[in-house]
Amino acid sequence: MASRSYSNLLDLTSCGSPSSFSREKRRLPRVATVAGVLSELDDETNNSVGSDAPSSVSQERMIIVGNQLPVKAQRKEENGKWEFAWDEDSLLLQLKDGLGDDVETIYIGCLKEEIDPIEQDDVAQYLLDNFKCVPTFLPPELFTKFYHGFCKQHLWPLFHYMLPLSPDLGGRFDRSLWQAYVSVNKIFADKVMEVINPDEDFVWVHDYHLMVLPTFLRKRFNRARLGFFLHSPFPSSEIYRTLPVRDELLRALLNSDLIGFHTFDYARHFLSCCSRMLGIAYQSKRGYIGLEYYGRTVSIKILPVGIHIGQLESVMNLSETESKVAELRNRFKGQTVMLGVDDMDIFKGISLKLLAMEQLLLQHADKRGKVVLVQIANPARGRGKDVQEVQCETYATVKRINDTFGRPGYTPVILIDTTLQSYERIAYYAIAECCLVTAVRDGMNLIPYEYIICRQGNEKIDEILGISSTIHKKSMLVVSEFIGCSPSLSGAIRVNPWNIDAVAEAMDSALMVPESEKQMRHEKHYRYVSTHDVAYWARSFLQDLERACRDHLRRRCWGIGFGLGFRVIALDPNFRKLSVEHIASAYKRTKHRAILLDYDSTMVQPGSISTTPNAESVAILNSLCSDTKNCVFLVSGKERKTLTEWFSSCEKLGLAAEHGYFVRTSHTEEWEACVSVPDFDWKQIAEPVMQLYTETTDGSNIESKESALVWNYEFADRDFGSCQAKELLDHLESVLANEPVSVKSGPNIVEVKPQGVSKGIVAERLLITMQQKGVIPDFVLCIGDDRSDEDMFGVITSARASLSPIADVFPCTVGQKPSKAKYYLEDTSEILRMLQGLANASEQSAARSSSQFPHH
């Protein structure tokens, strides 16, 4: 069933021909056409049609959201009206080929041209009717701050490894630009809300302009099926961590179901940032990489985008292309053309390429007069001082090379800085023996792919160039190792663009490679590019997005957090939050209660400098212990001496130290060992090994207990500590293979302890002790936060024989994570609040008893 907020637009785009729509009856809501108004659309209240009728559209739908719509706009001179056409070069339009005919697409984005506010509603209606596009109109001042400000001054340079070390280099962080970025993302979210049917539609968000959009969409629709693809590089954590809003952007991206990157390097950097800044580790299962984020699995997709081969081939078939190829063939007769096609910006390395050309001509006199570098320089997308500097340097270098090596009839470097038509660019590809890409950093760069397809040619072009149709085609590529397409082009000569000598040598090698090898390299590249086109990329992304979202309806979701800290908790239907009212009700009606409490990170906040129990915790424990219906045990990994000191005032509290090795049922009893251990000679083997890792891992330490040795790396570098822990685990398992011990890893620790020691023993012992006293527990509460507590959960959930047939059992973990527990509470404060509620119930019960049976 269509959501109400969608039904009005759905009708517009799904029935009949555009001419049948009455503009007076159906207008787009003015959500984002009014500057500064950021309304929250509500699908129950904001509907102009108010129909609950089932949608007539049964096909799958994809809402594609990008900074710019794949539409070109032009105002007619004769009547001043706007004319619109598809932008065939837009990736967002091209990817539609991979989604299949059964997937309807709706586009949301800005137009390149500024539309007068009084025309915006009519333009929006026309684009929706005829193109299924929903335009986002931004006030010019807001757009400037958003695009030329935050996107181009902060994100784009940083993602290309440029730090704002001085005001000239990108500029200092400006909070007002960030606020503009968030506001624009909110406007885009409002536009998505106008058209989305949240339980059925897929939303695919593109690129760094809209990185916080997933949070706004997830906040409005907890189960939104949401993918994001980053088309730029993602920098290493050392660069990314300098961004003042680093956490906000990471958390926003994690509100997606699937996050896509061009290369493994970009994905690895993102995962490293999540680990180092948010403490979220990734897991790899059956070839898929995923991050567990509040019960949701966020999938990671690594697949470089491809090109639209059909569109290129259609331009190659134009008569204009053939004429241009013939013209260029005659112009460069007897010369070898090397080609560069780049935007005129600081990261494309145009000047480095020119310096390499200069070096080539200096060192190889035989190339003078024979080799020409054609550099097509497209206008930069950004603006500012850095673009002007690149232009000045480029012009100066070209002039110097041409003055030094040029002669009548020979210009070594031809710089084309005017906008070329597609057919002109393709003609240059067709006649170039080698294509050079020397970008110092680039997200993907599809120029080599286009070059390969154009070098494959067609019959007409082959005829013009005098190539026999029976001869295998050939091409050569020299590409920077810092661009996204580099790993895919195994036959290319890869270079470090900063090494001018190496680039010059690569250019020389590319020209000297035997014909047969050029053909072999071309064949290899053509096979890859032709099978991994833009349709393949889009189809693969949609398949993975469907897989990532298939459990949405099965899980229960709700949102927590404010602003950009918002996230959705997704839980298995059988795993739910422990209701204080529910447990308090069971607590009040039961007579024989067993209560097992972990200490670290359960009774005390994780990461606290002081782990000593506070007065509030001690008071709660004493209240629970003073109720004769309760048997309370505190289970900890701490030593018995520490626990004795800390809980000396809790006379009736049972204690278990060192994860259950030592147990004491009350203050008056002696400590006793739960497991019989003949000796601890194994410590003499394990401790020197741990010492070795402690010396080489800054921030780690060894904790020596009576029954165990623990290597703790909580304060070490997260990645290095984790790596060392894996090595230590293997090392200890090897040297202790014949000893009666178990080696286990936990959160920030590696522990060696006697076999058979676990917190599960404490749970078993407590239940047996109660049975021996003739008491059958009818209420069991067990709370813990980590892997060591899972043993307790396992014992109490499978101990039905030791419990009353109508016993209420509450295994409860801290936070949402895979667990044997059926319940969870969010954090320590919620646990203490719940325990305080139980303690209050005990006190009220005691007060009632004393009023009924007063002391004489």
Side-chain angles (χ1 to χ4, degrees):
M1 185 178 288
S3 72
R4 293 185 180 186
S5 63
Y6 174 69
S7 56
N8 49 352
L9 297 186
L10 176 66
D11 294 343
L12 283 175
T13 56
S14 61
C15 313
S17 64
S19 58
S20 65
F21 303 127
S22 164
R23 196 163 286 155
E24 284 70 33
K25 285 166 70 177
R26 293 176 177 176
R27 280 216 181 259
L28 273 170
R30 290 180 64 90
V31 177
T33 55
V34 182
V37 176
L38 304 179
S39 65
E40 283 281 353
L41 280 183
D42 186 281
D43 58 5
E44 289 303 314
T45 56
N46 289 37
N47 66 89
S48 56
V49 178
S51 167
D52 252 343
S55 162
S56 61
V57 177
S58 58
Q59 65 184 147
E60 219 168 45
R61 294 198 324 146
M62 173 74 84
I63 298 170
I64 299 170
V65 192
N67 177 44
Q68 286 188 345
L69 286 173
V71 170
K72 292 186 283 194
Q74 190 176 8
R75 196 185 280 280
K76 288 183 183 175
E77 287 183 14
E78 58 270 22
N79 57 16
K81 287 186 177 180
W82 284 105
E83 194 172 60
F84 299 94
W86 287 116
D87 180 0
E88 301 291 343
D89 292 329
S90 170
L91 175 70
L92 300 190
L93 181 65
Q94 293 172 358
L95 67 80
K96 189 176 176 182
D97 282 10
L99 303 181
D101 296 335
D102 57 333
V103 179
E104 180 192 359
T105 51
I106 290 179
Y107 292 100
I108 295 175
C110 298
L111 287 164
K112 290 177 188 173
E113 291 72 18
E114 196 177 318
I115 308 291
D116 192 291
I118 62 171
E119 298 177 288
Q120 286 175 3
D121 275 358
D122 288 343
V123 166
Q125 193 68 53
Y126 181 82
L127 288 173
L128 182 68
D129 292 350
N130 296 281
F131 293 87
K132 288 189 181 172
C133 287
V134 179
T136 305
F137 299 113
L138 303 175
E141 187 184 338
L142 181 64
F143 178 80
T144 299
K145 282 187 168 185
F146 155 71
Y147 184 77
H148 294 292
F150 194 76
C151 290
K152 286 298 180 184
Q153 279 182 36
H154 291 322
L155 288 183
W156 192 72
L158 189 84
F159 279 25
H160 289 77
Y161 288 73
M162 184 170 139
L163 290 172
L165 297 174
S166 72
D168 291 340
L169 296 171
R172 302 283 189 235
F173 182 79
D174 184 337
R175 183 69 54 178
S176 71
L177 300 184
W178 162 245
Q179 287 163 350
Y181 181 83
V182 173
S183 293
V184 168
N185 275 250
K186 178 67 173 64
I187 291 171
F188 269 83
D190 287 339
K191 283 295 175 189
V192 175
M193 288 171 197
E194 288 183 19
V195 297
I196 191 173
N197 180 0
D199 289 333
E200 295 175 13
D201 296 346
F202 290 97
V203 183
W204 188 357
V205 181
H206 289 265
D207 223 3
Y208 63 92
H209 314 92
L210 301 171
M211 287 173 77
V212 298
L213 178 57
T215 289
F216 290 122
L217 296 178
R218 185 71 63 197
K219 189 171 188 177
R220 186 64 185 82
F221 304 114
N222 290 173
R223 290 195 182 93
R225 305 198 286 181
L226 184 54
F228 180 92
F229 199 94
L230 183 69
H231 293 275
S232 78
F234 196 94
S236 75
S237 61
E238 289 304 302
I239 298 289
Y240 180 80
R241 71 198 302 182
T242 63
L243 188 64
V245 289
R246 62 191 191 184
D247 287 7
E248 290 89 331
L249 288 180
L250 286 180
R251 290 194 184 281
L253 287 179
L254 290 172
N255 274 319
S256 307
D257 294 298
L258 178 66
I259 306 172
F261 300 93
H262 286 306
T263 72
F264 173 69
D265 271 353
Y266 303 161
R268 181 168 57 86
H269 293 155
F270 173 75
L271 295 170
S272 176
C273 288
C274 289
S275 169
R276 288 173 172 269
M277 288 157 221
L278 304 180
I280 301 168
Y282 74 90
Q283 295 172 320
S284 185
K285 291 179 184 174
R286 295 184 179 179
Y288 294 106
I289 299 172
L291 292 149
E292 284 294 321
Y293 187 61
Y294 291 94
R296 291 172 50 247
T297 299
V298 181
S299 298
I300 302 298
K301 172 82 173 169
I302 302 165
L303 185 67
V305 71
I307 58 173
H308 195 291
I309 296 167
Q311 191 210 334
L312 266 182
E313 289 177 341
S314 67
V315 178
M316 286 164 65
N317 291 329
L318 295 175
S319 57
E320 295 99 315
T321 308
E322 294 164 15
S323 303
K324 188 68 181 177
V325 170
E327 177 200 317
L328 295 176
R329 180 204 59 193
N330 296 332
R331 180 179 171 186
F332 296 109
K333 205 162 194 175
Q335 296 177 336
T336 302
V337 175
M338 304 184 87
L339 179 67
V341 181
D342 306 276
D343 290 349
M344 184 75 86
D345 72 49
I346 54 176
F347 298 114
K348 294 301 188 285
I350 293 176
S351 59
L352 298 175
K353 189 187 302 176
L354 295 173
L355 292 173
M357 180 65 180
E358 186 176 38
Q359 190 83 335
L360 177 74
L361 297 175
L362 269 173
Q363 293 179 346
H364 301 275
D366 59 312
K367 299 289 188 291
R368 297 171 197 169
K370 294 179 182 176
V371 177
V372 176
L373 172 63
V374 175
Q375 177 61 55
I376 298 171
N378 303 316
R381 296 177 202 182
R383 60 192 187 195
K385 189 179 173 186
D386 53 353
V387 173
Q388 292 164 9
E389 287 174 355
V390 169
Q391 286 175 331
C392 291
E393 186 184 3
T394 301
Y395 296 144
T397 310
V398 169
K399 185 176 185 305
R400 185 178 71 241
I401 296 171
N402 287 340
D403 287 350
T404 307
F405 301 103
R407 57 177 188 244
Y410 173 62
T411 306
V413 179
I414 296 168
L415 179 66
I416 302 169
D417 59 355
T418 53
T419 305
L420 292 182
Q421 297 290 327
S422 296
Y423 75 86
E424 294 176 294
R425 189 179 77 248
I426 282 172
Y428 277 105
Y429 284 141
I431 59 116
E433 280 294 309
C434 177
C435 183
L436 309 169
V437 182
T438 54
V440 295
R441 192 72 59 179
D442 207 349
M444 185 59 198
N445 201 311
L446 295 171
I447 299 301
Y449 287 16
E450 292 183 351
Y451 169 68
I452 289 159
I453 297 299
C454 293
R455 287 292 285 177
Q456 185 68 15
N458 60 29
E459 283 185 20
K460 287 279 181 69
I461 290 176
D462 290 350
E463 196 179 311
I464 293 165
L465 295 174
I467 300 170
S468 167
S469 56
T470 58
I471 295 176
H472 290 292
K473 304 300 167 59
K474 59 182 182 176
S475 64
M476 281 302 296
L477 284 168
V478 175
V479 300
S480 162
E481 61 193 52
F482 301 118
I483 62 176
C485 68
S486 174
S488 310
L489 300 169
S490 54
I493 301 175
R494 295 194 185 103
V495 293
N496 172 2
W498 300 101
N499 187 339
I500 306 299
D501 291 334
V503 177
E505 284 306 307
M507 291 163 77
D508 183 48
S509 300
L511 298 174
M512 304 299 287
V513 166
E515 296 294 295
S516 59
E517 192 177 326
K518 287 180 182 178
Q519 291 167 357
M520 190 175 70
R521 289 177 187 241
H522 172 80
E523 178 60 32
K524 190 175 189 179
H525 289 155
Y526 181 72
R527 200 163 48 242
Y528 175 83
V529 174
S530 58
T531 53
H532 292 73
D533 62 354
V534 67
Y536 172 86
W537 171 77
R539 187 163 54 248
S540 180
F541 190 89
L542 178 57
Q543 285 168 355
D544 276 18
L545 183 56
E546 286 174 337
R547 183 185 55 79
C549 299
R550 66 182 169 213
D551 285 343
H552 273 24
L553 295 176
R554 197 178 69 82
R555 292 184 176 275
R556 293 176 306 112
C557 304
W558 61 85
I560 57 169
F562 300 100
L564 293 176
F566 176 86
R567 60 261 187 215
V568 164
I569 299 169
L571 299 174
D572 191 279
N574 301 320
F575 184 57
R576 54 190 182 275
K577 190 163 186 174
L578 183 57
S579 157
V580 176
E581 292 78 15
H582 177 42
I583 193 170
S585 169
Y587 184 85
K588 288 171 186 173
R589 69 170 178 265
T590 47
K591 302 281 190 294
H592 309 296
R593 311 182 193 111
I595 299 173
L596 290 147
L597 305 172
D598 172 48
Y599 181 70
D600 297 288
S601 301
T602 301
M603 297 292 290
V604 65
Q605 288 282 4
S608 301
I609 295 171
S610 170
T611 55
T612 312
N614 57 30
E616 180 195 4
S617 302
V618 171
I620 291 170
L621 290 171
N622 273 327
S623 288
L624 291 171
C625 291
S626 62
D627 190 330
T628 54
K629 296 174 184 175
N630 293 345
C631 186
V632 185
F633 249 92
L634 191 82
V635 190
S636 172
K638 302 282 184 203
E639 295 176 83
R640 55 179 171 171
K641 182 185 172 190
T642 305
L643 295 180
T644 303
E645 248 174 66
W646 284 357
F647 298 101
S648 56
S649 60
C650 303
E651 294 185 4
K652 295 180 181 176
L653 178 66
L655 292 174
E658 301 190 13
H659 293 315
Y661 181 74
F662 292 113
V663 175
R664 189 185 74 177
T665 53
S666 71
H667 188 59
T668 55
E669 301 291 324
E670 291 296 316
W671 286 96
E672 55 181 296
C674 277
V675 176
S676 172
V677 178
D679 60 60
F680 290 93
D681 293 348
W682 54 266
K683 284 190 176 184
Q684 293 168 14
I685 303 169
E687 194 156 13
V689 176
M690 284 189 173
Q691 193 59 48
L692 177 70
Y693 284 80
T694 304
E695 288 166 7
T696 57
T697 313
D698 191 32
S700 66
N701 61 74
I702 300 171
E703 188 183 347
S704 183
K705 302 177 182 179
E706 287 182 70
S707 70
L709 284 173
V710 181
W711 186 72
N712 188 310
Y713 60 95
E714 183 180 0
F715 302 108
D717 175 88
R718 189 186 295 275
D719 289 347
F720 183 57
S722 176
C723 181
Q724 289 288 79
K726 286 174 187 167
E727 288 293 320
L728 175 59
L729 190 72
D730 286 346
H731 197 155
L732 289 171
E733 283 177 342
S734 173
V735 297
L736 297 171
N738 298 320
E739 300 294 329
V741 294
S742 63
V743 184
K744 290 189 175 178
S745 62
N748 299 320
I749 64 159
V750 174
E751 183 177 34
V752 185
K753 61 184 179 183
Q755 284 176 351
V757 174
S758 77
K759 291 184 179 180
I761 293 177
V762 182
E764 285 174 3
R765 190 169 177 128
L766 173 60
L767 296 178
I768 290 167
T769 304
M770 290 180 78
Q771 262 189 321
Q772 287 170 348
K773 291 179 180 176
V775 175
I776 306 296
D778 54 5
F779 175 99
V780 183
L781 169 64
C782 179
I783 306 179
D785 79 301
D786 67 24
R787 204 178 300 166
S788 66
D789 301 303
E790 294 296 315
D791 296 324
M792 289 198 293
F793 299 148
V795 168
I796 68 162
T797 51
S798 59
R800 282 289 167 191
S802 310
L803 306 177
S804 162
I806 55 166
D808 291 294
V809 180
F810 297 97
C812 177
T813 187
V814 184
Q816 303 83 48
K817 52 182 175 277
S819 173
K820 291 176 186 173
K822 282 175 63 179
Y823 302 94
Y824 81 93
L825 285 170
E826 203 62 59
D827 52 29
T828 300
S829 59
E830 283 197 359
I831 289 160
L832 292 177
R833 203 176 305 129
M834 184 270 293
L835 292 176
Q836 183 65 65
L838 301 186
N840 292 345
S842 284
E843 287 167 11
Q844 289 164 10
S845 175
R848 280 197 301 273
S849 297
S850 60
S851 65
Q852 289 170 9
F853 306 102
H855 295 291
H856 295 290

